[in-house]
Amino acid sequence: MSAAVLVGVALVGGVVGLVVPPVARRFTTLPARPRRDARAWLGPPLAAAVFLGLAVAQGDDPALPVLLAVAAVGLVLAVVDLACLRLPDPMVAAAGLLALGGLTGAALLAGTPGRLVGALVGAAVSGAAHVLLALLPGSRLGFGDVKLAAVLGLPLGWLGRDALLTGLLLPHLLHGTLVLGLLAARKVRRETLLPLGPALLAGTWLAALVS
């Protein structure tokens, strides 16, 4: 992928970053002009970095536009979950439809139906694994997280077994490390509820970068 195309992808990501806050406000009580708080990093620079990272790592993959579209919805979901510990079903469903429809089209155009099967298997494995985690005694995993994990299993399965395994394990490693750090700093208590959605999305993105 040429440097000019990469720059273009990054610019598109920056524009997406500008759109994320107003879309997220439809699902939260975010102020019209939010303060520069913990959500400030979810802006154009981050969105541009997310898009650019995917383009560099998966530039030759016919599903790159699908990955970028899912990432755009994921940024909105991350903002909403950070703001109110909620993953709205309409946004999760939108990500799922984009992923399933886009990957189906990419598989047909590229003549690689096996990768579509891999995507479906990835969704099933990721969804089932998180259902089991949600049912464990004392689990704080919500079914919004389960649904998002199943959706993210689609692109992870498309990218292959290694990406799927990394995408299953890394979010919980990231989340666990964050929780331990916050507990050690006495910023939260053991009973404090923290969003898992951003970790699921970040882990999936990182898995796509290294696959």
Side-chain angles (χ1 to χ4, degrees):
M1 184 172 287
S2 69
V5 174
L6 291 175
V7 170
V9 171
L11 289 175
V12 171
V15 172
V16 169
L18 293 174
V19 175
V20 164
V23 175
R25 279 194 291 270
R26 294 178 177 270
F27 301 96
T28 70
T29 56
L30 286 174
R33 292 182 180 180
R35 301 185 305 276
R36 290 186 177 276
D37 57 10
R39 292 184 294 268
W41 58 273
L42 285 171
L46 176 72
V50 168
F51 273 47
L52 181 60
L54 289 173
V56 171
Q58 304 293 335
D60 295 331
D61 196 306
L64 177 61
V66 183
L67 301 179
L68 296 177
V70 173
V73 179
L75 289 167
V76 176
L77 286 167
V79 172
V80 174
D81 205 17
L82 286 168
C84 57
L85 296 175
R86 186 167 68 93
L87 292 166
D89 284 341
M91 294 302 297
V92 175
L97 290 174
L98 283 170
L100 182 58
L103 293 177
T104 300
L108 292 174
L109 289 173
T112 54
R115 297 192 72 180
L116 178 59
V117 173
L120 296 174
V121 170
V125 169
S126 183
H130 285 83
V131 166
L132 292 176
L133 289 175
L135 294 176
L136 290 175
S139 174
R140 296 185 178 183
L141 191 69
F143 275 88
D145 299 314
V146 173
K147 287 179 279 190
L148 178 59
V151 167
L152 296 177
L154 287 166
L156 288 172
W158 172 275
L159 293 174
R161 182 185 61 184
D162 291 345
L164 178 60
L165 291 175
T166 302
L168 286 174
L169 296 175
L170 192 54
H172 300 283
L173 178 61
L174 293 172
H175 185 71
T177 301
L178 175 63
V179 170
L180 290 176
L182 291 174
L183 286 171
R186 298 185 178 180
K187 298 294 185 181
V188 299
R189 298 181 178 181
R190 291 179 64 89
E191 63 272 17
T192 303
L193 293 177
L194 295 172
L196 180 62
L200 289 171
L201 292 158
T204 300
W205 178 69
L206 290 171
L209 295 192
V210 301
S211 64

